Amino acid sequence: MTLLDQWRAMAYDTKNNDKATIQKLWNDYFKEETRIYKELLADPDAEVKGTVKDLAEKYGLSVMYMVAFLDGINESLKVPNPIEEMDEDTEVSLGFDKELLYKNMVDARADWLYGLPEWEAIFPQEKRDELYKEAKKAGTVVHEMPKVYPNDPCPCGSGKKFKKCCGKAG
């Protein structure tokens, strides 16, 4: 079982772990995650590298919490880490794309992260607002619906004319 599989079993397996245990795990993890992001955002251009084990020690984390952190940040990295097959000795990097990280935090609804004061030194408020809007817009699915006329077949698939089905005035 890979490190990532072990983490996911701990964090998501409600068959073998009760909800209170999982909730406590996540609450503890979110505190540590916030602490690490504060440190990374204080010097956002520095690329932190090392083995999974070394980075866990550097940040005072268990290896499992480091794996969770690596899983969370991976989509925001300039070069993704091999999280699916990594072990404690795998060399990883935390070199992140600042704009992508901010937008991914917004997309994840992690207001405790994209609301960190450290972002103020990285992007002015206008830029943060722009990135926030871009992230929200990217998650919005727009379905273009063709114009339906009264005598067209109803788009619900009933086989009736639109005017006799969904197009009825209430």
Side-chain angles (χ1 to χ4, degrees):
M1 184 181 268
T2 68
L3 288 176
L4 187 60
D5 290 335
Q6 290 174 46
W7 163 250
R8 289 178 176 164
M10 282 175 45
Y12 300 109
D13 185 3
T14 55
K15 291 179 185 172
N16 297 314
N17 299 315
D18 64 271
K19 289 183 181 179
T21 301
I22 292 174
Q23 187 63 46
K24 181 178 181 342
L25 174 91
W26 281 106
N27 288 340
D28 293 345
Y29 169 73
F30 289 144
K31 288 176 190 169
E32 297 299 327
E33 177 188 47
T34 302
R35 181 180 58 79
I36 296 169
Y37 274 120
K38 284 182 174 187
E39 194 171 325
L40 289 174
L41 294 173
D43 189 6
D45 296 318
E47 183 179 359
V48 178
K49 290 182 174 184
T51 66
V52 174
K53 185 178 180 181
D54 291 343
L55 291 180
E57 289 173 7
K58 172 183 172 65
Y59 292 108
L61 298 174
S62 68
V63 169
M64 284 296 104
Y65 275 6
M66 191 69 231
V67 169
F69 187 82
L70 290 166
D71 186 24
I73 198 172
N74 207 48
E75 290 183 9
S76 303
L77 298 177
K78 294 174 183 171
V79 178
N81 290 311
I83 61 170
E84 295 292 335
E85 61 266 353
M86 68 185 174
D87 60 33
E88 290 185 3
D89 298 320
T90 303
E91 286 283 332
V92 293
S93 168
L94 299 179
F96 58 91
D97 177 298
K98 294 177 281 229
E99 289 187 8
L100 186 56
L101 179 62
Y102 189 86
K103 290 193 282 189
N104 285 340
M105 288 175 169
V106 170
D107 190 46
R109 296 185 178 116
D111 56 341
W112 66 95
L113 296 176
Y114 69 78
L116 287 171
E118 285 77 5
W119 283 110
E120 295 170 14
I122 298 170
F123 298 124
Q125 184 63 50
E126 301 80 34
K127 182 66 174 177
R128 292 194 311 274
D129 291 345
E130 175 188 319
L131 293 171
Y132 182 90
K133 288 177 187 172
E134 285 177 24
K136 289 297 186 180
K137 187 176 180 183
T140 303
V141 178
V142 178
H143 294 284
E144 291 289 328
M145 294 297 293
K147 175 78 172 139
V148 180
Y149 295 95
N151 288 322
D152 289 346
C154 191
C156 77
S158 68
K160 297 179 182 179
K161 288 185 177 185
F162 179 68
K163 69 182 178 187
K164 297 282 187 178
C165 190
C166 294
K168 283 184 181 176

